[in-house]
Amino acid sequence: MRILVAMSGGVDSSVVAALLKRQGHEVIGATLQLYDHGQASKPGACCAGRDIMDARAVADKLDFPHYVIDAESRFRDSVIENFADAYARGETPVPCVACNQGVKFTDLLGMARDLRCEAMATGHYVRRVEGPDGAEMHRPVDAERDQTWFLFATTKDQLDYLRFPLGEMPDKAHVRELAQELGLEIAAKPDSQDICFVPSGSYVDIVEKLRPEIRGEGEIVDERGNVLGHHEGVARYTVGQSKRLGDIHTAVGERQMVTRIDVPKRRIVVGPRVQATEVETRKTIRLRDMNWLMDAPPEGVACGVQIRAREKLRDAVVKPLANGEALVELTEPAMPAPGQACVLYDGSRVLGGGFILAGA
């Protein structure tokens, strides 16, 4: 097969390219240039200038063509600007989902089709399984590296075309051993950080620079509006967070957590962490931009849902609504963060998912 490999310059995608080449496929490598790499040069930073050179070095060593796509403008508009907008609305965004759907699985996949490739492969830890009704997305063998939550917005058409060779790998150590066996010099290269466009390590700096109207101090209050303290900017907080609340835990007499963010008033609302009140939790969640990797069930589907990247599954019934929305009815109350993803699972299989809306 002729296969385009999305190469980030890291160990995972490099091993994918090398394995496919060794299996006899015609490999074409492609790397996205997403932003100004001048400042993103610290070890472990994804998409730094060095990464493009590392990807090209692998392609040169293994003798397959490699392209660099200038997607800086599209990445800025579809990922970075939306990231800042979400915080300005009091939401907690998932930029990796936006990147996958905004440039990786759109621009790169379009390029693959233009080059008449029969498939596109990535270094994600996901299993693609041929089911009775077509390709299905499943959790990988290595549960610690599971990236299905970040890929829930992959469409059925895209999944038909995509390949994920690392989904069957037992662990990352095995992948690094393969990199050494394949003679790849980047075998010991550190993994990238989650947010590739934050080289300083502080996303707040970027958000407040792009949306200066939300910059500045404000009040930390309880649900009744009593002022408990002050903060240095709403972009520094997310629902469920207990850090950066200063001496409020001691003053109130029990550990507190963020339950709501009131951006217009620049207020951070907090409540007890140990036992959430009815105000702080709910058993229904409304989702927007719902993506189904199965036929949307008219009456809903009983499944497990994951409302944060590293959280346990919660039992729920999910019902499709109009305008691409869905209603999640949980068996036990939870505290979802607006803007985060809610992903549906049936065992290891991803059924779909959407983004959490504020309110029930």
Side-chain angles (χ1 to χ4, degrees):
M1 295 173 63
R2 176 182 291 178
I3 303 178
L4 183 89
V5 178
M7 301 183 68
S8 67
V11 177
D12 294 330
S13 57
S14 297
V15 167
V16 167
L19 285 175
L20 292 173
K21 176 74 174 181
R22 187 169 70 175
Q23 292 168 6
H25 298 292
E26 180 186 352
V27 173
I28 299 173
T31 302
L32 293 168
Q33 179 179 323
L34 300 179
Y35 53 89
D36 181 357
H37 306 299
Q39 297 179 347
S41 57
K42 73 174 186 177
C46 171
C47 305
R50 179 70 193 178
D51 292 328
I52 294 177
M53 292 187 286
D54 287 343
R56 177 152 291 167
V58 170
D60 289 343
K61 179 181 180 62
L62 300 177
D63 192 27
F64 61 79
H66 175 258
Y67 297 91
V68 177
I69 301 175
D70 181 1
E72 184 175 340
S73 177
R74 285 252 298 132
F75 183 74
R76 182 178 61 249
D77 293 342
S78 65
V79 179
I80 301 178
E81 293 286 345
N82 286 339
F83 179 80
D85 283 341
Y87 273 103
R89 293 191 299 268
E91 297 181 352
T92 306
V94 191
C96 293
V97 175
C99 181
N100 287 330
Q101 294 310 112
V103 287
K104 288 184 180 176
F105 290 174
T106 301
D107 291 14
L108 281 183
L109 198 143
M111 178 183 181
R113 294 188 189 279
D114 289 342
L115 292 173
R116 298 181 181 178
C117 293
E118 297 168 74
M120 186 177 99
T122 79
H124 290 106
Y125 285 80
V126 174
R127 283 191 301 134
R128 177 187 178 279
V129 177
E130 286 293 342
D133 299 315
E136 301 174 352
M137 181 185 294
H138 287 253
R139 294 188 189 272
V141 171
D142 183 3
E144 294 298 317
R145 309 293 297 183
D146 182 10
Q147 291 175 299
T148 54
W149 189 82
F150 296 97
L151 293 178
F152 81 87
T154 305
T155 66
K156 288 190 286 186
D157 180 61
Q158 290 169 342
L159 189 58
D160 283 339
Y161 194 69
L162 290 165
R163 300 293 185 272
F164 307 104
L166 300 188
E168 301 291 342
M169 295 293 171
D171 52 38
K172 184 59 179 275
H174 182 72
V175 175
R176 291 193 182 279
E177 290 173 4
L178 278 174
Q180 290 181 324
E181 176 189 325
L182 294 163
L184 304 182
E185 295 181 3
I186 45 80
K189 186 175 180 177
D191 290 338
S192 62
Q193 64 181 27
D194 285 340
I195 306 179
C196 66
F197 56 87
V198 186
S200 67
S202 174
Y203 70 86
V204 176
D205 295 339
I206 290 178
V207 172
E208 293 186 343
K209 179 180 179 180
L210 293 174
R211 301 294 177 268
E213 67 274 12
I214 69 170
R215 185 188 305 158
E217 298 180 354
E219 297 172 335
I220 300 177
V221 303
D222 62 20
E223 285 288 351
R224 293 182 295 275
N226 299 315
V227 178
L228 305 176
H230 293 81
H231 64 81
E232 297 181 353
V234 293
R236 302 166 189 265
Y237 298 86
T238 183
V239 172
Q241 176 179 323
S242 290
K243 297 179 180 179
R244 300 196 187 99
L245 295 179
D247 298 327
I248 288 176
H249 307 296
T250 303
V252 174
E254 59 182 319
R255 192 160 184 80
Q256 301 289 294
M257 66 187 296
V258 177
T259 61
R260 187 160 47 86
I261 301 173
D262 188 339
V263 175
K265 294 181 180 179
R266 285 190 182 151
R267 279 186 160 187
I268 300 298
V269 184
V270 300
R273 182 173 183 84
V274 176
Q275 185 173 2
T277 67
E278 292 182 1
V279 175
E280 297 158 359
T281 62
R282 59 182 194 262
K283 295 179 71 172
T284 59
I285 304 172
R286 201 176 185 95
L287 307 180
R288 61 171 171 83
D289 300 329
M290 188 68 191
N291 177 60
W292 290 97
L293 285 173
M294 58 181 288
D295 291 334
E299 303 301 322
V301 59
C303 59
V305 299
Q306 187 173 328
I307 62 174
R308 285 181 176 83
R310 303 301 173 199
E311 260 196 7
K312 67 177 183 179
L313 284 177
R314 302 170 182 271
D315 292 332
V317 173
V318 183
K319 300 177 180 179
L321 300 176
N323 302 318
E325 294 187 355
L327 186 67
V328 180
E329 298 177 345
L330 300 164
T331 57
E332 296 182 357
M335 185 178 293
Q340 285 282 288
C342 176
V343 183
L344 287 52
Y345 291 88
D346 178 12
S348 68
R349 182 186 175 188
V350 178
L351 303 179
F355 293 100
I356 298 168
L357 285 165

